[in-house]
Amino acid sequence: MNYQGRVSPGTAQGDPSPIETPTLSIVIPAFNEAEGLSHLYQHLGSSLSETAVSWEVLFVDDGSKDKTWNEICRLCEADGRVRGLRLSRNFGHQSALLAGLAHARGDAVISMDADMQHPPELIPALVDAWQKGAKIVKTVRIDPEDLSWFKRVTSNGYYRLFSFLSGVEIKEGMADFRLMDRQVLDNLLQFKEEGLFLRGMVQWMGYPSVEIPFECGPRFAGTTKYSLRKMLRLAWHGVSSFSLVPLRVAIMTGLV
């Protein structure tokens, strides 16, 4: 994966002097999210001020075609706690997230989406659970009542199928909005997976964890970047990475 451009860690307006290592890192992949980054940053600042810990926000531009990178640079210049990482092309959400995790410096790292559907207001609760001893603080989405029948059935069905085939239980509504302790992150980064399915990998490692439910907020701007094709690809990566069943089926089909 190539990093086409990067704002120096913890710098503002070209100052090469890095800030001290933060306690908390927030990693946010962004693909064509220029309209909403300023709004997200404002909500992050308000929520992080309640945690009483030092922090940094790391935006990862996953090959955006709009002015996402310009907006990230503007935020970096305005606040030395904001950092930016720019990928040379669009590698996909999971790869962008992994790149951000690899560059995070905090003792704990929170990953979340850039569209405001992962509420920043939940961050103080995640930090509190970590400070009480949880190595992983997972969030579980509470589906809204108006969620489409197709989305509800396919999502629930997939996680049940994944848990059955892999032996790794993932609850319905569990996504990549979570906090990980530095020990967990360092172990996660040792994996060299081709088909990334981070929520399965984090669950598989088995560290002490807690769950916090949340209601998914509305998207602030833009449209979803997860098409049906991308969701199917992610689902396939998840199953094929954690189960030998697809390989065995392919072998048996070939023999027949």
Side-chain angles (χ1 to χ4, degrees):
M1 188 181 300
N2 297 319
Y3 306 110
Q4 190 177 47
R6 185 172 68 217
V7 173
S8 300
T11 64
Q13 298 181 346
D15 180 4
S17 302
I19 62 174
E20 62 180 275
T21 302
T23 300
L24 179 66
S25 296
I26 314 292
V27 176
I28 307 174
F31 177 59
N32 294 340
E33 297 286 358
E35 295 179 50
L37 291 187
S38 179
H39 181 78
L40 172 60
Y41 167 74
Q42 293 174 7
H43 279 259
L44 284 171
S46 176
S47 298
L48 288 166
S49 66
E50 301 177 18
T51 64
V53 299
S54 58
W55 53 269
E56 67 174 2
V57 175
L58 176 56
F59 289 106
V60 183
D61 181 6
D62 187 21
S64 298
K65 303 299 183 182
D66 63 357
K67 295 183 178 180
T68 293
W69 181 244
N70 293 340
E71 185 65 15
I72 292 173
C73 290
R74 187 188 68 79
L75 293 173
C76 290
E77 292 174 357
D79 189 340
R81 296 168 296 184
V82 178
R83 302 166 61 209
L85 184 68
R86 189 184 194 185
L87 306 188
S88 58
R89 64 170 177 83
N90 178 239
F91 285 89
H93 178 270
Q94 296 288 282
S95 295
L97 176 55
L98 184 63
L101 293 174
H103 285 81
R105 302 176 300 162
D107 297 324
V109 180
I110 292 176
S111 58
M112 61 188 300
D113 291 345
D115 56 11
M116 288 295 294
Q117 292 189 310
H118 293 163
E121 292 74 18
L122 199 63
I123 289 177
L126 301 182
V127 174
D128 181 65
W130 169 65
Q131 292 175 330
K132 290 179 179 177
K135 292 292 186 181
I136 304 173
V137 186
K138 297 172 284 191
T139 65
V140 180
R141 183 188 68 250
I142 301 174
D143 289 330
E145 294 183 359
D146 60 351
L147 185 69
S148 69
W149 174 86
F150 177 79
K151 176 66 175 177
R152 191 184 303 274
V153 170
T154 54
S155 177
N156 294 349
Y158 170 71
Y159 285 118
R160 290 184 181 182
L161 177 64
F162 175 87
S163 300
F164 173 75
L165 293 177
S166 67
V168 178
E169 183 179 0
I170 297 184
K171 284 191 175 181
E172 302 161 11
M174 194 173 291
D176 290 315
F177 182 26
R178 73 176 72 85
L179 179 148
M180 290 184 288
D181 181 82
R182 168 55 60 177
Q183 180 184 5
V184 178
L185 177 59
D186 287 344
N187 287 338
L188 177 66
L189 294 175
Q190 294 179 23
F191 288 94
K192 303 299 180 183
E193 294 286 328
E194 290 295 329
L196 289 173
F197 188 61
L198 292 175
R199 69 195 69 170
M201 294 165 65
V202 172
Q203 185 77 354
W204 176 84
M205 290 193 292
Y207 282 93
S209 64
V210 296
E211 297 176 1
I212 297 178
F214 76 97
E215 294 185 2
C216 183
R219 166 176 278 277
F220 176 74
T223 58
T224 180
K225 309 307 185 297
Y226 256 107
S227 63
L228 179 59
R229 181 173 62 87
K230 289 183 178 180
M231 286 190 291
L232 290 174
R233 182 186 301 170
L234 178 63
W236 171 252
H237 285 165
V239 172
S240 60
S241 295
F242 285 86
S243 175
L244 292 176
V245 173
L247 178 61
R248 290 169 178 167
V249 170
I251 291 174
M252 291 303 298
T253 301
L255 289 174
V256 171

